[in-house]
Amino acid sequence: MSTSFAGAYRQLADAQKGHARGAPAYSVYVNRRIGRTLAAWAYRAGLTPNQVTAISAVNTFAALALLMLLPAHGWTGVLVAVLLTLGYAWDSADGQLARLRGAGSLAGEWLDHFVDAVKIASLHLAVLVALQLHTPLAGTPWLLVPLGFSVVAVVTFFGMLLNDLLKSKKGVSSTHARGGGTLLRSAVLLPTDFGMVCLVFVLWGWTAGFLVAYTALAIAGAAFLALAAVRWFHEIAALDREEA
């Protein structure tokens, strides 16, 4: 690669678009910037966007495996949090690398979303298994929290993808349209950020503290989904009225 790391980083910084209207703060101001650094490194290393997606998957699923296999100690939580955070950052890096290389493809986008779907469907179920195996919460109603969180996360992801699909059929900008986000909105949405789910595992060795923080994130996610679902339905219904 003829472009230096610094040059690639500058190109990525200059090519950044406004963040999506629904993008929370960690994703915009932390994860994207870490991802930019990783994308510049990957560009210099000659990696492809699909290889970067694979690195993201390895980090994420290694974290989930360790969560279920290792005892609930503080160091376990830190290790899981680091791996999940890296997986999330690499997930941001693959799209940025594709833009830098001018090599975006439908197959690459499919792979990225497919890995995201597996991650979202698996993460909270892994928490459920780990709570059952490694904490005093085994067999208690608290195990319903990760089960409910899993439903919320999967339905939210599906709803966003479905919105984008239906809107694209009408030539309307997607749910993640760029340029409409604000700092205040991003801050308000912080509890719904996947990055916060990654970081909450630093509390894993303190079961009570982890459960309180994790449950708060689950409630925030459920509230967001309830409000978003109403808005999404009205947006799609408006497209029907325009067509009629």
Side-chain angles (χ1 to χ4, degrees):
M1 296 289 180
S2 58
T3 304
S4 67
F5 172 86
Y9 187 87
R10 283 194 299 271
Q11 289 182 47
L12 284 166
D14 292 340
Q16 293 298 317
K17 302 177 181 179
H19 59 82
R21 288 191 297 269
Y26 179 90
S27 293
V28 174
Y29 301 108
V30 179
N31 195 60
R32 181 190 287 185
R33 293 176 182 179
I34 299 174
R36 188 186 309 162
T37 300
L38 295 177
W41 177 88
Y43 181 79
R44 286 291 301 158
L47 299 180
T48 67
N50 286 352
Q51 288 172 328
V52 170
T53 300
I55 294 173
S56 172
V58 168
N59 278 273
T60 298
F61 297 116
L64 300 187
L66 293 175
L67 181 68
M68 292 185 288
L69 293 172
L70 297 178
H73 293 320
W75 65 269
T76 305
V78 172
L79 179 58
V80 169
V82 168
L83 287 171
L84 286 175
T85 300
L86 281 173
Y88 191 33
W90 281 110
D91 185 34
S92 173
D94 59 7
Q96 297 191 58
L97 177 62
R99 288 195 296 275
L100 183 60
R101 289 169 55 100
S105 67
L106 289 177
E109 186 173 0
W110 180 91
L111 180 63
D112 184 29
H113 287 322
F114 185 83
V115 171
D116 285 344
V118 177
K119 171 181 69 179
I120 291 168
S122 302
L123 189 149
H124 301 292
L125 298 181
V127 173
L128 173 62
V129 172
L131 289 174
Q132 173 68 27
L133 293 177
H134 305 301
T135 75
L137 299 176
T140 69
W142 284 110
L143 298 184
L144 295 174
V145 176
L147 188 62
F149 207 161
S150 180
V151 173
V152 168
V154 170
V155 173
T156 300
F157 184 66
F158 174 79
M160 290 181 176
L161 291 182
L162 182 60
N163 274 8
D164 290 351
L165 175 64
L166 295 176
K167 287 180 178 181
S168 66
K169 292 174 65 176
K170 302 296 182 182
V172 178
S173 60
S174 72
T175 301
H176 301 289
R178 302 286 173 173
T182 65
L183 178 59
L184 177 60
R185 182 183 178 89
S186 293
V188 169
L189 291 173
L190 183 60
T192 70
D193 200 317
F194 183 77
M196 300 306 296
V197 178
C198 298
L199 294 175
V200 79
F201 285 96
V202 298
L203 300 174
W204 181 244
W206 177 30
T207 302
F210 169 82
L211 192 61
V212 169
Y214 181 80
T215 301
L217 294 179
I219 293 171
F224 169 81
L225 176 59
L227 295 173
V230 173
R231 177 178 177 179
W232 294 339
F233 177 81
H234 286 299
E235 287 178 348
I236 301 303
L239 294 179
D240 285 334
R241 290 193 296 271
E242 290 175 5
E243 185 176 27

